[in-house]
Amino acid sequence: MRSRTNEKVTMSHVLHRSTKQKFDVAVSGDGLMLTLADGRTVIDAAGGAAVACLGHGNRRVAEAVALQAEKLAYVHTMFFSTEPAEELAELLVGHAPGGLTRAFFVTSGSEAMESALKLAYQYHVERGAPQRTRFIARRQSYHGNTFGALAASGHPGRRSVYEPILMSNFSHVAPCFAFRYKPERETSADYVARLAAELEAEFQRLGPENVAAFVAEPIVGATSGCVAAEPGYFRSLREVCDRHGALLILDEIMSGMGRSGTQHVWEQEGVTPDLQAVAKGLGAGYIPLGALLVSQKVVDALDAGTGSFVHGHTFQAHAVACAGAIEVQKIIAEEKLINNVQSLGRYLGDALTDRFGQHANVADIRGRGFFQALEFVQSRDTNEPYAPKTGFSEILKRKALEVGLAIYPNGGTIDGKRGDHVIIAPPYNATRADIDTIVARLGSAVDAAARSI
Ligand SMILES: Cc1ncc(COP(=O)(O)O)c(C=O)c1O
């Protein structure tokens, strides 16, 4: 029997993420607030997984979705395009940002990455280089859970069960994670040069003529907690790719679409990608939607060759999903919400520093815009993380829920096994007062979690 009104689902036929845990049922949302079936309210300070960038219950988006469902929900892309798909693509790449001129719409971040990997390979096939089967990604990365995207991901925990059956044409180099991997005596420029040399060495090991693409998150999200690259890192790595004719695939699924203070993170890095994956903030969680943004360079290769992307899904470019995302993007533009992310992002950073800057168990406060994280340690003197068996992230999640706060904590920050962090990712329309409340509740939760160990 299952009870919707009780505090937790007592017996459920949903295969949840854990068969051992009972999950609270969320029944409604309004702005930052979620209401659970037992009447409790929780502040959603991470938009789930950095998704709900307009908060919950937005009437305009709900109406746009409903209107499109009534007008025309679905046609197959083998036969027809739709007005919402055309309009959304125009909105995203009509002005050719960074040379990106086409959008391929899918239903998740993983599908967007899967599409990126396939299109990167097809690009080389079209140009007469089918031997370019190798992809280089980074350790401590997450690109999705489908087979290709997981093979690209460099996170031991997420790969673990499937390691024996993952594709073997992916290899991984070090991430740009200065807090953990740049010794103090090394300058930032030397660190970047060391990482560029490592990528170059990996190209040489594989044979540069065999590499299809280099794949990276411009700001690492869930696996390490809002780790931005050192200045010049992406420019140096782009140069290595260009030297060897490999494509640059940027995964902005979590960090992009305004979350980090600009529409695209690469605008802050001085590079442009050949292929870019976006998802979460694109539809703000009102509809499941991801997109692969494609540069004209790749379109040209396809166009000069077979002219058809050998890939597709039944639900690609779904009209209702595209209509929802158009409304989301219009609201972000009309209300100048990316400006809010920039200015209040600084406020959030300052508020986190005020509250946690001297905290005995917080080693680092990092991120950009409304994409910020705390990294936790047993002791600030040694920066030694909690032992993985402590499960600090899980404890913090529970303690936060007890004070009415939903956040996005994760373990394995440093190397996939050790380390803990939490991501704070409020909606783009959050106010100073919202941020004050979030930081205050987070403070109580972190103190309670640290005390309990
Ligand atoms: C950077 C990044 N890439 C890919 C994905 C996979 O997206 P999805 O869960 O929508 O398949 C995620 C999801 O968290 C992500 O953060």
Side-chain angles (χ1 to χ4, degrees):
M1 287 294 271
R2 132 183 113 120
S3 156
R4 282 176 190 277
T5 47
N6 285 354
E7 189 178 324
K8 309 219 178 203
V9 172
T10 48
M11 155 71 186
S12 167
H13 294 285
V14 174
L15 179 57
H16 289 288
R17 285 181 179 245
S18 163
T19 55
K20 300 192 193 309
Q21 203 182 328
K22 301 265 186 290
F23 287 85
D24 288 308
V25 177
V27 290
S28 64
D30 183 12
L32 269 172
M33 279 302 178
L34 293 173
T35 301
L36 309 185
D38 62 0
R40 277 179 300 148
T41 54
V42 173
I43 292 181
D44 187 1
V51 172
C53 64
L54 291 182
H56 300 279
N58 188 292
R59 177 64 61 88
R60 272 182 65 178
V61 184
E63 281 176 1
V65 165
L67 270 177
Q68 187 60 43
E70 198 175 13
K71 186 176 177 196
L72 177 68
Y74 177 77
V75 287
H76 199 287
T77 48
M78 242 178 354
F79 308 104
F80 305 107
S81 184
T82 62
E83 289 171 334
E86 296 296 331
E87 187 181 338
L88 183 59
E90 171 71 27
L91 215 142
L92 294 176
V93 291
H95 55 301
L100 299 163
T101 58
R102 302 286 169 95
F104 181 79
F105 296 115
V106 288
T107 54
S108 69
S110 298
E111 278 185 16
M113 280 308 296
E114 221 46 57
S115 309
L117 299 169
K118 288 177 93 172
L119 188 51
Y121 180 62
Q122 202 190 329
Y123 165 84
H124 293 295
V125 172
E126 299 283 357
R127 289 162 47 92
Q131 84 288 352
R132 284 192 182 259
T133 55
R134 303 291 319 217
F135 290 86
I136 306 174
R138 304 190 303 176
R139 295 194 284 281
Q140 274 309 99
S141 58
Y142 181 56
H143 298 295
N145 260 332
T146 47
F147 270 103
L150 190 58
S153 303
H155 189 266
R158 294 177 190 225
R159 293 169 62 96
S160 59
V161 176
Y162 303 104
E163 193 69 63
I165 55 171
L166 288 179
M167 293 146 78
S168 55
N169 55 330
F170 288 77
S171 54
H172 299 88
V173 292
C176 188
F177 187 177
F179 177 67
R180 283 294 174 186
Y181 294 108
K182 183 182 85 56
E184 242 171 65
R185 61 181 184 282
E186 188 176 39
T187 65
S188 177
D190 286 348
Y191 179 48
V192 166
R194 175 158 66 85
L195 294 174
E198 183 185 342
L199 182 63
E200 174 65 35
E202 185 60 7
F203 268 88
Q204 296 305 332
R205 186 182 75 83
L206 298 170
E209 70 286 0
N210 298 323
V211 179
F214 172 63
V215 184
E217 293 162 84
I219 300 180
V220 181
T223 49
S224 289
C226 303
V227 178
E230 293 293 286
Y233 169 82
F234 275 101
R235 277 198 303 279
S236 295
L237 271 72
R238 168 96 241 188
E239 273 167 34
V240 178
C241 293
D242 288 347
R243 188 154 61 240
H244 300 303
L247 298 183
L248 175 64
I249 301 175
L250 291 185
D251 176 348
E252 296 208 4
I253 286 163
M254 199 177 226
S255 55
M257 298 307 297
R259 165 111 355 245
S260 306
T262 48
Q263 179 78 1
H264 307 295
V265 183
W266 51 256
E267 294 169 46
Q268 301 173 39
E269 302 299 332
V271 294
T272 57
D274 299 303
L275 295 165
Q276 179 187 351
V278 294
K280 301 174 189 275
L282 176 60
Y286 286 87
I287 34 74
L289 184 69
L292 172 65
L293 309 183
V294 183
S295 65
Q296 188 59 37
K297 164 176 152 182
V298 173
V299 176
D300 286 344
L302 206 59
D303 203 31
T306 60
S308 76
F309 182 22
V310 189
H311 181 58
H313 296 282
T314 300
F315 294 125
Q316 81 186 52
H318 195 278
V320 175
C322 291
I326 291 167
E327 204 57 28
V328 168
Q329 297 309 314
K330 280 186 179 161
I331 294 169
I332 291 174
E334 282 168 24
E335 297 182 8
K336 299 190 172 30
L337 292 182
I338 298 184
N339 292 351
N340 196 52
V341 171
Q342 268 175 21
S343 58
L344 287 199
R346 283 189 289 275
Y347 182 77
L348 172 61
D350 290 346
L352 290 172
T353 304
D354 282 350
R355 180 61 177 83
F356 299 103
Q358 301 304 318
H359 197 285
N361 306 104
V362 176
D364 195 27
I365 301 168
R366 57 183 176 239
R368 293 183 191 162
F370 275 180
F371 193 44
Q372 307 222 11
L374 307 177
E375 185 180 329
F376 300 102
V377 286
Q378 282 187 49
S379 148
R380 270 169 72 98
D381 300 334
T382 57
N383 279 345
E384 185 59 26
Y386 287 105
K389 66 174 183 333
T390 311
F392 183 83
S393 305
E394 267 306 309
I395 296 172
L396 177 60
K397 188 169 87 181
R398 282 202 305 276
K399 295 291 180 193
L401 279 175
E402 281 170 24
V403 295
L405 187 73
I407 43 176
Y408 197 57
N410 254 303
T413 312
I414 302 168
D415 54 12
K417 293 199 175 73
R418 295 176 316 131
D420 295 277
H421 65 264
V422 65
I423 293 178
I424 314 299
Y428 301 174
N429 46 14
T431 62
R432 277 170 190 253
D434 294 332
I435 289 169
D436 292 342
T437 312
I438 289 170
V439 173
R441 289 193 189 190
L442 183 62
S444 309
V446 170
D447 288 347
R451 261 199 317 269
S452 75
I453 287 164

